[in-house]
Amino acid sequence: IFLVHIQTVEHAMGGIYGVLNKRRGIMLGEENRPGTPIYNVRAYLPVSESFGFTADLRSHTGGQAFPQCVFDHWASFPGNPLEPGNLASDLVTKTRVRKGLKPEIPGLDNFYDKL
């Protein structure tokens, strides 16, 4: 899980909330820097959802949000990859297809020694 620090102006906050919600992000807080219109936003963002995050955030805020992603902690991925129809199985299937493997997970009998 990444800890994301975002600096932005007040009128771009809606775009930040929208992008974080779409990418399963968890808001930790927002602080106004005294005497300036700049806000500092902190949030958790899963690493698997972070690819293309900066470009998506900039497009939703008109280029007025500046994120920094830093690894914070490990967390287990929700769902069972062996049960079809959840987020974990979809990720495993997409990864297997991208690597040129069969989409379904092979059975254990494929790995037994045939001698």
Side-chain angles (χ1 to χ4, degrees):
I1 302 286
F2 280 145
L3 175 62
V4 182
H5 294 278
I6 304 170
Q7 285 189 344
T8 188
V9 291
E10 184 177 4
H11 64 272
M13 295 293 284
I16 292 173
Y17 280 104
V19 171
L20 285 172
N21 285 334
K22 183 174 71 171
R23 293 178 173 262
R24 299 187 304 129
I26 300 170
M27 289 293 295
L28 296 177
E30 60 183 62
E31 304 169 347
N32 185 2
R33 292 179 66 185
T36 66
I38 296 175
Y39 277 80
N40 291 330
V41 178
R42 294 183 319 130
Y44 284 140
L45 182 70
V47 175
S48 63
E49 302 287 340
S50 68
F51 302 105
F53 172 70
T54 302
D56 199 17
L57 186 65
R58 295 244 171 109
S59 70
H60 281 80
T61 60
Q64 295 184 342
F66 304 97
Q68 290 182 327
C69 298
V70 178
F71 178 78
D72 189 66
H73 65 276
W74 293 100
S76 60
F77 201 82
N80 184 355
L82 300 177
E83 295 176 0
N86 61 33
L87 194 59
S89 69
D90 293 343
L91 180 69
V92 168
T93 303
K94 287 178 186 175
T95 303
R96 291 183 62 81
V97 167
R98 186 182 77 232
K99 292 184 176 220
L101 302 171
K102 296 178 186 174
E104 55 276 342
I105 297 174
L108 212 53
D109 57 339
N110 290 349
F111 301 106
Y112 285 137
D113 192 9
K114 302 293 182 188
L115 295 176

